[in-house]
């Protein structure tokens, strides 16, 4: 196994095919195939699934992560040696859409001045972002899981609060004379096939929706559907403050759902990653609710997961 073979594998995973990887590496497809075959021979395992698009096997994911970590370390070494870089380094981050639309906006403001780096986000449900981290497809991830991925460190960021809301007209249609909502019959919205938070909210109350959810895989589109009265939804409180104030939507209950978010990142000594960490932590301090200082029982309607150490009331990175 050598680095050129590992880089060839990473290029195949990035582009999805041997032909496109060859183009990116300025090689022939035959040369790329030879490197991958040699890599598989040296590790004694298949490292790439030859489908469309090509994907890394479990063994290949380990090598893809190695390739990207080596690339990051090489570029950091170039900076320290004063060697001009050919292109900015791409830092891949897996994140849920709600975070990117709310508190992580401050990260985008900070990254706008990073001439040596580019951020590439993958939008994934917060319960599934660590899958991409394990597969070597990203260097960092926002997740609801506190346990670190091997080779990474984790840090509790804060709490994102979700409120059950709907358009006033929809809420009125499904309210009885006693003011009780017909949760079972009221239509519901969701982001995608992995968005089960509304169903979990109902299940905690011994209820279940009786009709399929309307699915809108776009944050602006989902909000438009909410305002139009297509269904009710659990939304981050920061995204609907104005609409709640002017009455375009209403809360359906005094209950809420608190989701604790964690930051996971490679254990690689890189000034680019440290700068990214600092920007993410600052964005979390500004945009998320603080973590509870001690464990407490979650009341009905809450989903609270917390782990880590704190100092002076603020969470810090832990290995």
């Amino acid at each position: 196994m050598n680095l050129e073979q590992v880089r060839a594998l990473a290029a195949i995973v990035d582009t999805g095919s041997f032909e496109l990887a060859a183009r990116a590496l300025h090689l022939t497809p035959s040369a790329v195939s030879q490197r991958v075959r040699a890599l598989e021979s040296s590790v004694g395992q298949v490292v790439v699934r030859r489908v469309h698009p090509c994907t890394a096997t479990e063994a290949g994911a380990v090598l893809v992560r190695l390739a990207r970590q080596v690339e990051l370390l090489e570029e950091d070494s170039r900076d320290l040696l004063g060697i001009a870089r050919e292109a900015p380094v791409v830092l891949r981050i897996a994140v849920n859409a709600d975070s990117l639309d709310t508190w992580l906006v401050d990260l985008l403001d900070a990254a706008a001045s990073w001439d040596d780096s580019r951020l590439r986000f993958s939008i994934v449900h917060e319960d599934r972002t660590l899958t991409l981290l394990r597969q070597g497809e990203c260097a960092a991830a926002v997740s609801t899981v506190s346990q670190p991925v091997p080779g990474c460190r984790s840090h509790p960021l804060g709490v994102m609060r979700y409120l059950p809301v709907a358009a006033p007209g929809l809420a009125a249609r499904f309210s009885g004379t006693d003011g009780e909502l017909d949760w079972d019959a009221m239509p519901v919205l969701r982001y995608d096939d992995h968005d089960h938070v509304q169903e979990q909210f109902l299940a905690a109350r011994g209820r279940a929706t009786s009709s399929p959810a309307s699915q809108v895989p776009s944050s602006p589109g989902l909000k438009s559907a909410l305002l139009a009265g297509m269904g009710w939804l659990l939304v981050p409180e920061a995204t609907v403050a104005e609409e709640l104030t002017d009455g375009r939507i209403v809360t359906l209950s005094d209950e809420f759902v608190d989701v604790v978010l964690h930051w996971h990142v490679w254990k690689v000594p890189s000034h680019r990653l440290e700068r990214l960490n600092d920007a993410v932590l600052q964005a979390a301090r500004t945009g998320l609710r603080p973590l509870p200082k001690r464990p407490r029982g979650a009341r009905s309607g809450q989903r609270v997961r917390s782990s880590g150490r704190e100092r002076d009331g603020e969470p810090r990175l832990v290995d």
Side-chain angles (χ1 to χ4, degrees):
M1 178 178 68
N2 62 46
L3 287 178
E4 294 308 315
Q5 295 168 358
V6 174
R7 288 191 178 101
L9 172 63
I12 293 167
V13 173
D14 285 343
T15 62
S17 75
F18 282 70
E19 292 74 15
L20 292 177
R23 190 179 304 171
L25 296 173
H26 306 292
L27 298 170
T28 65
S30 176
V32 171
S33 294
Q34 289 173 9
R35 291 185 181 186
V36 172
R37 285 197 299 270
L39 179 60
E40 290 178 329
S41 177
S42 65
V43 300
Q45 299 180 66
V46 175
V47 298
V48 62
R49 299 182 186 92
R50 292 161 172 81
V51 295
H52 182 72
C54 293
T55 59
T57 63
E58 186 174 346
V62 175
L63 298 174
V64 169
R65 184 168 68 174
L66 170 64
R68 289 174 176 158
Q69 290 179 344
V70 168
E71 177 189 15
L72 182 60
L73 290 172
E74 285 180 339
E75 291 304 319
D76 274 23
S77 296
R78 286 175 178 273
D79 292 344
L80 293 174
L81 294 171
I83 301 174
R85 59 183 180 275
E86 295 181 1
V89 174
V90 175
L91 298 176
R92 296 170 173 84
I93 306 168
V95 63
N96 59 310
D98 287 340
S99 289
L100 193 56
D101 290 339
T102 54
W103 64 276
L104 270 178
V105 169
D106 286 352
L107 168 63
L108 306 183
D109 290 339
S113 62
W114 299 350
D115 293 335
D116 61 352
S117 305
R118 297 291 183 266
L119 301 186
R120 185 171 296 172
F121 293 95
S122 295
I123 301 299
V124 188
H125 192 270
E126 61 268 23
D127 291 338
R128 301 178 65 249
T129 52
L130 293 192
T131 299
L132 298 187
L133 193 60
R134 292 188 186 95
Q135 293 173 347
E137 295 185 25
C138 60
V142 175
S143 174
T144 56
V145 179
S146 61
Q147 184 65 32
V149 171
C152 299
R153 51 180 172 168
S154 70
H155 167 72
L157 291 169
V159 176
M160 179 172 279
R161 176 162 293 178
Y162 288 77
L163 307 176
V165 298
L170 181 70
R173 281 171 50 203
F174 290 90
S175 294
T177 55
D178 58 357
E180 288 294 318
L181 283 171
D182 187 352
W183 289 99
D184 296 351
M186 187 165 48
V188 63
L189 297 168
R190 70 178 183 182
Y191 183 83
D192 59 17
D193 290 336
H194 303 288
D195 180 9
H196 304 300
V197 66
Q198 284 74 223
E199 288 86 348
Q200 292 166 353
F201 182 85
L202 292 177
R205 287 147 192 79
R207 299 183 179 278
T209 182
S210 60
S211 62
S214 294
Q215 187 162 301
V216 186
S218 157
S219 295
L222 198 58
K223 188 171 184 178
S224 296
L226 175 67
L227 292 170
M230 284 182 62
W232 73 275
L233 183 67
L234 279 157
V235 296
E237 58 183 342
T239 65
V240 292
E242 182 179 333
E243 289 80 6
L244 285 171
T245 299
D246 62 26
R248 283 183 286 164
I249 63 171
V250 295
T251 55
L252 301 176
S253 169
D254 292 335
E255 297 171 308
F256 50 84
V257 175
D258 276 353
V259 178
V260 177
L261 297 177
H262 300 263
W263 174 245
H264 297 255
V265 64
W266 286 341
K267 283 183 180 179
V268 173
S270 162
H271 70 81
R272 287 177 174 84
L273 285 185
E274 290 305 318
R275 183 180 57 195
L276 175 64
N277 287 338
D278 291 343
V280 169
L281 299 184
Q282 180 56 45
R285 283 191 288 267
T286 302
L288 293 175
R289 286 177 172 267
L291 292 162
K293 291 188 177 181
R294 64 185 63 181
R296 65 183 182 185
R299 72 185 181 97
S300 178
Q302 290 181 300
R303 179 160 65 103
V304 180
R305 305 172 189 159
S306 179
S307 133
R309 298 176 230 163
E310 294 183 355
R311 177 180 57 190
D312 300 330
E314 290 186 358
R316 61 188 176 93
L317 279 172
V318 295
D319 288 343

